[in-house]
Amino acid sequence: MIERSAVKILVLDDESFMLKLLSRVLSNLGFTSVTLCDSGRAALDQIVDAETSPNLILLDLNMPEMDGIEFVRHLVERHYAGSLILVSGEDERILQTAEKLVQAHKIPILGHLHKPVKPDALSALLETWTPPLTDSPKAAKKIYSADALRAAIDNGELVNYYQPKVSVATGEVVGVETLVRWLHPVDGVVFPDQFIGLAEAFGLIDDLTQVVFTKAVAQAKVWQQAQLPLRVAVNVSMDNLSSLNFLNFVADLVGKVGVAPHEMVLEVTESRLMQDTRAPLEILTRLRLKRFRLSIDDFGTGHSSLAQLRDIPFDELKIDQGFVHRAWADETLRAMYDASLALARQLGMEVVAEGVEDRNDWDLLRRTGCDLAQGAFVSRPMLATDLPGWVEGWKERVRTELLTQATNQMI
Ligand code: C2E
Ligand code: CA
Ligand code: CA
């Protein structure tokens, strides 16, 4: 049995008696959230965001202004994430064709109903409804307000996850990258692509970075004291590098906590790095002078000039995951991967390949002599408390699976 109150139904039909009839049937079946619309235009006004949009539409195919098929096209444009039931007085063949058209747009269709609609048939279709997949790329992501994010930062709802970076040659766990998550009291785990841009746009990124960095430094200290010395990387936004606040903040903090700056890595994204250069360049250089490690992130996706890259004293270059996963099978990816690796070598930087998802990716890194690997093949990001246990399992895996194979390959 489906949860009837979770189904937000919209009925679209140009005939008012059909609307009345269907709404009565739905109400008798126990569905309480039902919106009635007599034109496509009125219905589209209801489809604004994932939060308030219906998640099931009963759609009449034959309507005077905007017909059902045209309506479906607009649904696709609006990233409608729910499902559909088609309703029509046309014959079976036309309904089936319409159903195929809708399926081609990848909108889940529960089935079709002939007019006059029989309550039993409608009820049977409704039982097959399932909630839209929230991680489907079609599903419109929830948009948060700056105020909500501000409150989340103040209330300690941001949590650091850590993803290992390991040596490709020895399997040694060299460090971790800090990846922030918002543990939202209602929505659960919210990923950074849903709030980092917001933080940058609304002047919250300095506070966000300070919260993340403070926790990361404290965690680095805890691991050091537990005989688990790990370099801890933190993502730094370009906007953090426009004033001296950040520089002073991180320098004071590591001093207070007692972590050497060279144990902290600052990952800066290349594409944003190159837009405005002077202030960030000066601040990066000064961070480097204080012995923080600097990493150029997502390499290959931006538009950096090689001259600028030489000006900034990076220690590490991260090849974007888009050029790593499946580079062993794809010539274009492989060319980008090889060029990035060669450039890093020439400039004396350590190279990290991101997005290492499977054994084939890992083997390419071994063959080409890449320094460090990061990705799902090694581990997904995890909570700090899970890391020591993971390290033990990883050591075992390296010993039994990963290095033996490589030795064979070399022979
Ligand atoms: P990024 O720095 O490129 O981080 C790597 C992203 O790839 C992470 O996503 C990670 O979970 C994901 N990933 C790891 N292994 C694999 C893999 O094998 N395959 C695939 N397909 N993906 C993998 P996440 O955590 O969602 O972070 C997204 C982006 O958000 C990060 O990209 C980073 O640019 C930004 N971000 C995260 N935390 C912070 C932060 O504290 N401050 C700032 N300014 N940005 C952050
Ligand atoms: Ca990063
Ligand atoms: Ca990256």
Side-chain angles (χ1 to χ4, degrees):
M1 280 282 281
I2 55 166
E3 181 62 58
R4 283 169 161 47
S5 58
V7 197
K8 285 179 278 176
I9 303 179
L10 185 149
V11 185
L12 171 55
D13 199 307
D14 61 302
E15 291 165 286
S16 62
F17 82 90
M18 272 304 291
L19 289 177
K20 281 192 198 123
L21 184 88
L22 285 170
S23 92
R24 187 155 345 115
V25 173
L26 288 167
S27 144
N28 288 342
L29 290 171
F31 292 92
T32 48
S33 169
V34 179
T35 308
L36 307 175
C37 296
D38 63 1
S39 75
R41 208 171 296 276
L44 287 175
D45 286 342
Q46 304 290 320
I47 299 164
V48 185
D49 58 50
E51 181 83 339
T52 54
S53 290
N55 44 34
L56 175 64
I57 299 176
L58 269 60
L59 173 63
D60 178 25
L61 283 178
N62 316 68
M63 293 181 291
E65 273 170 49
M66 185 192 297
D67 69 31
I69 299 299
E70 186 187 346
F71 179 75
V72 166
R73 248 198 8 250
H74 289 293
L75 284 183
V76 174
E77 283 163 11
R78 282 162 193 245
H79 306 285
Y80 173 65
S83 11
L84 275 183
I85 293 177
L86 301 183
V87 185
S88 175
E90 299 292 336
D91 68 17
E92 178 75 17
R93 210 169 41 93
I94 290 185
L95 266 166
Q96 279 183 1
T97 312
E99 207 174 301
K100 287 217 180 73
L101 275 169
V102 176
Q103 279 164 348
H105 287 301
K106 305 247 176 358
I107 293 182
I109 177 154
L110 303 184
H112 56 252
L113 294 169
H114 294 277
K115 289 184 183 176
V117 172
K118 296 194 184 68
D120 284 356
L122 176 57
S123 167
L125 282 186
L126 288 168
E127 284 301 327
T128 66
W129 178 87
T130 51
L133 292 171
T134 42
D135 61 350
S136 131
K138 262 193 294 112
K141 286 198 170 143
K142 180 163 171 184
I143 296 164
Y144 293 96
S145 70
D147 286 346
L149 181 58
R150 161 93 270 159
I153 296 171
D154 294 344
N155 299 338
E157 285 169 23
L158 299 188
V159 175
N160 287 358
Y161 275 59
Y162 297 94
Q163 186 174 37
K165 293 177 172 177
V166 303
S167 157
V168 177
T170 65
E172 185 196 352
V173 184
V174 174
V176 291
E177 175 180 359
T178 308
L179 294 159
V180 66
R181 309 280 181 256
W182 176 359
L183 294 194
H184 193 282
V186 178
D187 301 339
V189 179
V190 181
F191 286 84
D193 60 334
Q194 268 171 283
F195 59 88
I196 294 293
L198 182 71
E200 288 169 348
F202 288 89
L204 300 174
I205 194 68
D206 276 338
D207 287 351
L208 183 147
T209 308
Q210 293 195 3
V211 166
V212 173
F213 199 89
T214 304
K215 288 183 186 165
V217 173
Q219 190 57 55
K221 183 77 185 171
V222 168
W223 280 326
Q224 276 172 20
Q225 286 170 337
Q227 314 304 321
L228 200 64
L230 293 169
R231 262 189 229 146
V232 178
V234 175
N235 288 287
V236 173
S237 166
M238 256 333 265
D239 301 326
N240 296 135
L241 300 174
S242 55
S243 82
L244 286 172
N245 290 349
F246 178 72
L247 173 86
N248 295 330
F249 172 80
V250 294
D252 287 351
L253 185 70
V254 292
K256 262 190 243 148
V257 179
V259 171
H262 69 260
E263 299 296 340
M264 300 302 296
V265 184
L266 307 176
E267 295 192 9
V268 186
T269 302
E270 174 210 15
S271 48
R272 275 178 281 152
L273 182 66
M274 298 306 165
Q275 285 164 11
D276 164 23
T277 46
R278 260 182 307 168
L281 204 127
E282 186 197 322
I283 291 169
L284 282 171
T285 307
R286 290 177 61 187
L287 283 163
R288 185 67 173 71
L289 287 172
K290 291 187 187 293
R291 301 285 181 263
F292 286 96
R293 281 181 70 86
L294 302 184
S295 169
I296 184 161
D297 203 357
D298 301 335
F299 188 77
T301 59
H303 310 280
S304 64
S305 78
L306 297 183
Q308 281 171 322
L309 188 57
R310 280 195 190 94
D311 287 345
I312 303 171
F314 286 102
D315 304 276
E316 176 183 282
L317 181 149
K318 298 188 80 172
I319 308 179
D320 189 67
Q321 55 192 33
F323 305 114
V324 173
H325 177 50
R326 291 192 52 78
W328 55 274
D330 181 307
E331 270 179 40
T332 315
L333 300 184
R334 180 63 193 271
M336 275 302 302
Y337 170 87
D338 285 342
S340 309
L341 195 69
L343 178 69
R345 287 271 166 277
Q346 216 180 331
L347 298 177
M349 296 188 241
E350 193 162 46
V351 191
V352 186
E354 293 190 282
V356 179
E357 291 197 0
D358 54 37
R359 183 66 199 237
N360 286 320
D361 295 343
W362 173 266
D363 286 341
L364 172 72
L365 269 51
R366 288 200 67 103
R367 286 200 301 279
T368 50
C370 183
D371 301 305
L372 302 180
Q374 183 182 344
F377 178 72
V378 179
S379 170
R380 295 255 172 220
M382 67 189 111
L383 288 168
T385 46
D386 294 330
L387 199 101
W390 174 83
V391 170
E392 289 315 307
W394 169 253
K395 279 184 189 157
E396 184 61 13
R397 202 174 144 206
V398 168
R399 202 175 54 75
T400 55
E401 248 184 79
L402 299 176
L403 291 186
T404 40
Q405 167 85 14
T407 320
N408 293 342
Q409 270 182 359
M410 277 190 275
I411 292 169

